[in-house]
Amino acid sequence: PYFAGYNWDGNKIYIDRDVPKFLTIKKKKINLHISLAMHECAEKHYINKGYTYPGAHEIATSYEKRYVESKGIKWKDYDHQVGKMVHANLVAKLKKLPKDLDMTPMEYSRDIKTLSKMRKLLK
């Protein structure tokens, strides 16, 4: 359910194995792994600078949005497609997580049940 994330040191970006590398939106192809990695790198950078997760996430989303739009794709179309994948990922069964996954973003989740399952997998 983490979809994409980073380790505690910020030197590794994790993208769930079920996330496709490429996404085609209205006949335009984008490397989803690049856009997600860009978001995650920026988010971790700002968290390490002392920003709260919501603030860092907002800044990271602006980087991701600029990248998406530079590929000629409308943000609302991209966000809609990725949102559907994130939702599908949230309801998927948890099997395995990287042991050094930084849980900071998930700590802001209100999904206590999923967060509890994730914590158990990290032990």
Side-chain angles (χ1 to χ4, degrees):
Y2 68 94
F3 202 68
Y6 35 79
N7 69 349
W8 284 104
D9 294 336
N11 59 8
K12 289 182 193 170
I13 299 298
Y14 296 114
I15 298 174
D16 188 282
R17 67 178 178 264
D18 295 326
V19 174
K21 186 168 184 176
F22 292 99
L23 185 60
T24 301
I25 300 171
K26 296 189 177 179
K27 299 183 183 179
K28 294 187 179 179
K29 192 174 183 179
I30 188 167
N31 186 320
L32 184 56
H33 287 201
I34 289 175
S35 60
L36 294 175
M38 185 177 294
H39 176 104
E40 298 303 325
C41 284
E43 188 173 277
K44 182 62 173 170
H45 170 78
Y46 284 99
I47 285 173
N48 287 349
K49 291 269 187 195
Y51 285 71
T52 62
Y53 167 73
H57 180 74
E58 187 174 330
I59 294 167
T61 300
S62 72
Y63 282 94
E64 183 181 6
K65 182 179 180 184
R66 276 184 256 153
Y67 173 75
V68 168
E69 290 175 342
S70 79
K71 301 298 178 190
I73 297 170
K74 291 182 180 177
W75 175 252
K76 69 177 182 115
D77 296 333
Y78 169 88
D79 193 44
H80 177 73
Q81 289 295 334
V82 172
K84 287 193 307 188
M85 287 189 285
V86 169
H87 177 74
N89 207 46
L90 282 170
V91 298
K93 272 193 162 182
L94 279 170
K95 295 176 187 147
K96 185 171 145 180
L97 292 174
K99 294 295 181 192
D100 61 347
L101 182 66
D102 183 344
M103 292 288 289
T104 301
M106 283 58 89
E107 297 293 336
Y108 280 85
S109 168
R110 295 180 187 197
D111 184 353
I112 303 304
K113 186 176 178 183
T114 300
L115 187 56
S116 176
K117 288 179 187 176
M118 291 176 78
R119 285 182 181 139
K120 286 178 186 173
L121 287 172
L122 291 173
K123 290 182 180 179

